[in-house]
Amino acid sequence: LWNAVVVVLAVAAGLDLAGGRTDWWLFGLLAPFGLVGLVAIGLFLRRLILATAIGPTHLEISDHPLRPGGRYDIHISQGGSVAFRRLELLLELEEQATYQQGTDVRTEKQVVWSESIRRWERVEPVPGRPFEVDLCIELPRQAMHSFRSAHNSVNWRLLLRGTAGNWPTFRRIFPLVIVPAPGTAARGRAAADREAVS
């Protein structure tokens, strides 16, 4: 869209030059617009090359939703044609809070718990085949279940973080849903009933 505006300005400037007029304001506007357009094209090409060099990431899990204390099999497939200096799979818990400050509504996110599941060093690509691995994860027995309300949420996720050659670190996020352990609701109701009686 930005470069379409630059083309329109360039055509207008070219028509002015062909007609024997020179609009210095138009040329003054065209120069910074053209520079920003060239930078945008460069950033787009860099991201495109990064996406094709690193390739897609696929993650499969043996069950969903998950329960605290459960063990689950995971299959990871990481495409790409570059060598990875490091790949790391993490299990993370992120809390999100939305609140009002004056007239502004703000949303804050913070990872409050993180555990490294597995790390791989110096992963070399095999032509025509992605890097694939099978592993098993175990959720903590006291894990808080996933939760979402109007102003707060508790979100679990698997994060694959990697560094490839001289490229910046990339992150692929796979959200998880964790439901309460069996009997948790019943224990909660029983505790509320005892409190009401006393």
Side-chain angles (χ1 to χ4, degrees), residues 1-9 29-30 32-38 40:
L1 182 61
W2 184 276
N3 285 314
V5 172
V6 171
V7 168
V8 170
L9 289 175
L29 189 62
L30 183 60
F33 268 54
L35 183 63
V36 171
L38 289 174

Side-chain angles (χ1 to χ4, degrees), residues 18-95:
R21 294 179 308 232
T22 304
D23 187 348
W24 294 109
W25 286 105
L26 182 58
F27 278 101
L29 189 62
L30 183 60
F33 268 54
L35 183 63
V36 171
L38 289 174
V39 170
I41 290 172
L43 291 174
F44 169 75
L45 290 176
R46 185 172 186 272
R47 283 188 171 268
L48 181 64
I49 291 170
L50 177 63
T52 55
I54 291 179
T57 306
H58 299 287
L59 186 142
E60 298 175 12
I61 192 162
S62 60
D63 197 9
H64 205 256
L66 313 180
R67 293 189 181 275
R71 293 174 59 87
Y72 302 96
D73 296 321
I74 290 179
H75 176 78
I76 297 174
S77 172
Q78 174 61 55
S81 58
V82 297
F84 297 98
R85 285 187 298 176
R86 178 182 298 116
L87 285 173
E88 185 176 15
L89 182 67
L90 299 108
L91 177 64
E92 293 187 341
L93 173 62
E94 179 187 69
E95 290 186 3

Side-chain angles (χ1 to χ4, degrees), residues 1 9-10 13 23 34 43 52 76 78 103 114 132 135-136 138 146 158 167 179 186 188 193:
L1 182 61
L9 289 175
D23 187 348
L43 291 174
T52 55
I76 297 174
Q78 174 61 55
T103 58
S114 180
E132 293 184 309
L135 51 98
C136 182
E138 183 172 359
S146 301
L158 285 169
W167 297 100
V179 296
D193 291 343

Side-chain angles (χ1 to χ4, degrees), residues 122-134:
R122 296 182 185 85
V123 177
E124 295 290 335
V126 176
R129 284 179 38 206
F131 167 72
E132 293 184 309
V133 65
D134 294 305

Side-chain angles (χ1 to χ4, degrees), residues 146-157:
S146 301
F147 171 79
R148 182 175 300 275
S149 70
H151 300 289
N152 298 293
S153 66
V154 173
N155 305 305
W156 286 90
R157 64 189 189 182

